[in-house]
Amino acid sequence: MLRDPFPRRTAYSAIPAQDSDHENDSDTHDTHDIHDDDHDDHDHGYNSDNNGQGKGKYIDDEMSPLSRSSSEKLKAPHVSLDEFPTASSTGPSTGPSYAGASSVSPGDPPQYRVYRRRFLGLFMLILLNIMVSWAWLTFSPVVSLAAAHYRVSESAINWLSTSILFAYVVATPAVIYSLHRFSTKPTLLAACLLLLAGNWIRYAGARAASFPVTMVGQLLIGAAQPFVLSAPPHYSDAWFTPAGRISATAAASLANPVGAALGQLINPMWATAPEDIPDMVLWVAVITTVGVLGWVLVPTRPPTPPCASAAPHPTPTPRAAVAALLANREWIALTAMFWIYLGGFNALSTLLPQIMIPRGYTLDTAGLTGALLIVVGLIAAAVIAPIVDRTHAFTTAIRTLVPITAATYVAFIWAPHEGALAPPFVVAAVMGAGSFALLPVALEWAGEITYPVPTEWASGVMWAGGQLVGGVLIVGMDAMKGLGEGGGGGKDGGEGREGDMRAAVGMLAAIAVLAAPGVWLIGRKRGRGMGRLGVAGV
């Protein structure tokens, strides 16, 4: 039976057995020096004792606040890999290799180190998320102009966005395999190629006013999107300590809606008439091309792991990983809520102009509402993610944010009303705050409760399901145009104007409310399976 030779993948696996002030005691082991170009970033070290499995030294001050304030709180039982068939039982690979590992003698304690270059990769991941989202929603803010340019219906233009969501689902298995087998950089280089090809094929289609060619480009962009969206937890896991992972995951994951916000604000400025559509697509293609080139400079992996949780360790086989996920009721409950709220957000943000314009709003006002939804959400996530990073109050955050988000979907049924600005602006701001803050917390909590299943499995399935639900909701809501109160009866832009989507938004709100009680199915499990972190007081 395979024994886990590496420390648990927990925030406290790199926490010293004694206080960090004792780092210079006589019994402290010295680490084997590894030279690197950013060696001066590593000026704080301490030992860790992992249940008698050997001492290691963590070099950096990123974990010191956690070690001083929370080390005595974080007490979760050991998670063994004994019951899982692992890759090492059938092959030589038991996890990522590190360039610096070869310079450490077998008798030396493991060495953990963080590198400033991790922020280069994080910046490029942020940029890539912006580009792929901007490409996804290129046509949504100018749906009527695009329909006129391609001589198709608005519903057909909606399919340009919806097709990306379905392409995402199809490409997800390849993404999970690629992240598991080749790590982040090769995976994202493949995404860059798909993104570049999709953008320029789409431009050729726009220039020729060919809807089928444009759709081909959209599908390639859709195939690139899961590579980009699934990468942040995997990247933060490899390069950051537990004290910084949620913030890193949040920064990269929440950059995706920034691209949507840019599209909502900028694309209507670029395209004010149907003949402007090709130039708008060209600008997006040029910006994307410039933005993705920097990935060639990003290292594949750090020379040494940042902490014990990122060290090479046996991982379950694909079959064992799937079985472990399906047996994890808490993850299933979390995933179901993630699917619904991610899908609902995608549907609402895609159809926002079509929801608001029949109620007396202009295209610019709808774009401003969409931008407000995203900007306020980013601010909220920037505040909440670091707090959860330090306190690890995952379930408290989820139980607070989910009901708030569900309530905003209900409020949005009536918020857009005869052109009044305050109601939709306020509701959109609160909805964005709840949705955006929830995203990185849910992804990181999924990594905790599913360990030792690799993060790309849990996050990949969560993202793919959310995109699929979003696609289904967009199709369904588009088919419900004009249903319900006064659908098609008005002429002055009021409540009864043709194409009113109040019934569709009501359906979306009902689904969001029905999903909210799922928060009480998470955080109840204690003991085995808690994963990388032990969360106190939750």
Side-chain angles (χ1 to χ4, degrees):
M1 185 172 291
L2 179 66
R3 180 179 181 273
D4 184 1
F6 293 98
R8 291 183 67 244
R9 192 179 183 183
T10 61
Y12 46 91
S13 58
I15 294 174
Q18 58 268 61
D19 188 76
S20 59
D21 292 335
H22 297 168
E23 64 181 352
N24 293 322
D25 286 353
S26 59
D27 61 344
T28 298
H29 292 265
D30 292 328
T31 60
H32 199 90
D33 190 21
I34 297 179
H35 298 284
D36 192 76
D37 56 354
D38 46 7
H39 175 75
D40 56 352
D41 189 36
H42 324 304
D43 55 359
H44 184 79
Y46 54 83
N47 291 318
S48 66
D49 187 7
N50 296 285
N51 301 322
Q53 296 183 38
K55 294 185 176 181
K57 193 170 187 178
Y58 176 82
I59 303 180
D60 194 79
D61 57 358
E62 184 175 0
M63 282 285 292
S64 55
L66 176 62
S67 65
R68 286 193 295 267
S69 63
S70 307
S71 60
E72 52 282 298
K73 298 181 182 179
L74 301 178
K75 298 179 184 289
H78 181 75
V79 177
S80 174
L81 292 176
D82 289 353
E83 69 270 31
F84 290 103
T86 63
S88 62
S89 63
T90 57
S93 176
T94 58
S97 60
Y98 293 88
S102 60
S103 62
V104 180
S105 301
D108 288 342
Q111 183 171 1
Y112 310 127
R113 177 174 290 176
V114 293
Y115 299 84
R116 280 196 300 250
R117 71 186 79 168
R118 69 192 186 276
F119 294 111
L120 171 62
L122 181 61
F123 172 77
M124 291 307 306
L125 193 53
I126 289 171
L127 201 58
L128 195 55
N129 266 281
I130 291 174
M131 294 298 101
V132 77
S133 181
W134 196 342
W136 165 41
L137 292 179
T138 298
F139 299 99
S140 294
V142 291
V143 61
S144 59
L145 300 179
H149 174 73
Y150 287 106
R151 298 180 178 86
V152 296
S153 66
E154 290 188 5
S155 294
I157 298 300
N158 286 340
W159 271 103
L160 290 175
S161 300
T162 309
S163 65
I164 284 186
L165 303 180
F166 292 121
Y168 187 112
V169 178
V170 174
T172 292
V175 175
I176 294 174
Y177 174 80
S178 180
L179 285 172
H180 185 72
R181 177 67 177 83
F182 301 111
S183 78
T184 307
K185 182 176 180 178
T187 299
L188 292 179
L189 287 176
C192 290
L193 293 176
L194 288 170
L195 191 57
L196 290 174
N199 269 279
W200 288 106
I201 289 174
R202 195 173 62 163
Y203 170 65
R207 182 60 64 187
S210 172
F211 185 78
V213 174
T214 303
M215 179 63 78
V216 170
Q218 287 287 107
L219 291 174
L220 290 176
I221 292 171
Q225 197 171 45
F227 289 87
V228 179
L229 285 175
S230 298
H234 191 276
Y235 181 84
S236 64
D237 215 33
W239 284 86
F240 288 81
T241 69
R245 280 180 183 152
I246 297 179
S247 296
T249 299
S253 298
L254 296 178
N256 193 269
V258 172
L262 292 173
Q264 296 276 8
L265 285 173
I266 298 175
N267 288 15
M269 300 178 189
W270 285 341
T272 58
E275 56 269 20
D276 295 331
I277 294 296
D279 290 338
M280 178 192 72
V281 177
L282 174 62
W283 277 113
V284 175
V286 170
I287 293 172
T288 300
T289 302
V290 174
V292 303
L293 294 179
W295 263 108
V296 298
L297 304 176
V298 177
T300 301
R301 60 178 58 90
T304 55
C307 58
S309 68
H313 58 277
T315 57
T317 62
R319 179 176 296 181
V322 172
L325 291 178
L326 293 177
N328 192 323
R329 295 180 181 179
E330 184 172 359
W331 176 77
I332 291 174
L334 178 66
T335 299
M337 290 187 292
F338 189 90
W339 286 358
I340 289 172
Y341 290 109
L342 176 62
F345 184 88
N346 286 342
L348 190 74
S349 59
T350 300
L351 298 173
L352 189 60
Q354 297 166 68
I355 293 170
M356 296 187 66
I357 289 175
R359 295 186 176 274
Y361 297 88
T362 66
L363 189 62
D364 289 339
T365 302
L368 184 59
T369 305
L372 189 66
L373 178 80
I374 293 168
V375 171
V376 174
L378 292 172
I379 294 172
V383 173
I384 292 174
I387 294 174
V388 179
D389 241 342
R390 297 298 178 180
T391 63
H392 307 296
F394 292 93
T395 55
T396 298
I398 293 171
R399 288 173 180 172
T400 302
L401 294 169
V402 165
I404 292 174
T405 305
T408 61
Y409 282 97
V410 176
F412 207 78
I413 299 174
W414 299 280
H417 180 74
E418 296 184 346
L421 296 180
F425 283 2
V426 171
V427 174
V430 178
M431 182 187 293
S435 301
F436 280 51
L438 184 61
L439 179 77
V441 175
L443 289 172
E444 282 299 312
W445 184 237
E448 305 304 330
I449 61 179
T450 59
Y451 180 78
V453 176
T455 55
E456 59 268 16
W457 283 88
S459 64
V461 171
M462 292 170 73
W463 276 111
Q467 305 291 359
L468 178 61
V469 170
V472 172
L473 286 173
I474 291 171
V475 174
M477 292 175 68
D478 182 66
M480 294 175 69
K481 282 182 179 178
L483 294 181
E485 180 182 350
K491 297 180 179 179
D492 59 354
E495 293 294 333
R497 185 172 176 178
E498 183 177 1
D500 184 83
M501 297 188 70
R502 171 172 286 184
V505 178
M507 178 199 69
L508 179 60
I511 295 173
V513 170
L514 289 174
V519 297
W520 300 109
L521 299 178
I522 66 170
R524 301 170 61 184
K525 187 174 181 181
R526 291 293 183 268
R528 277 179 80 245
M530 281 297 291
R532 298 176 296 183
L533 297 171
V535 183
V538 179

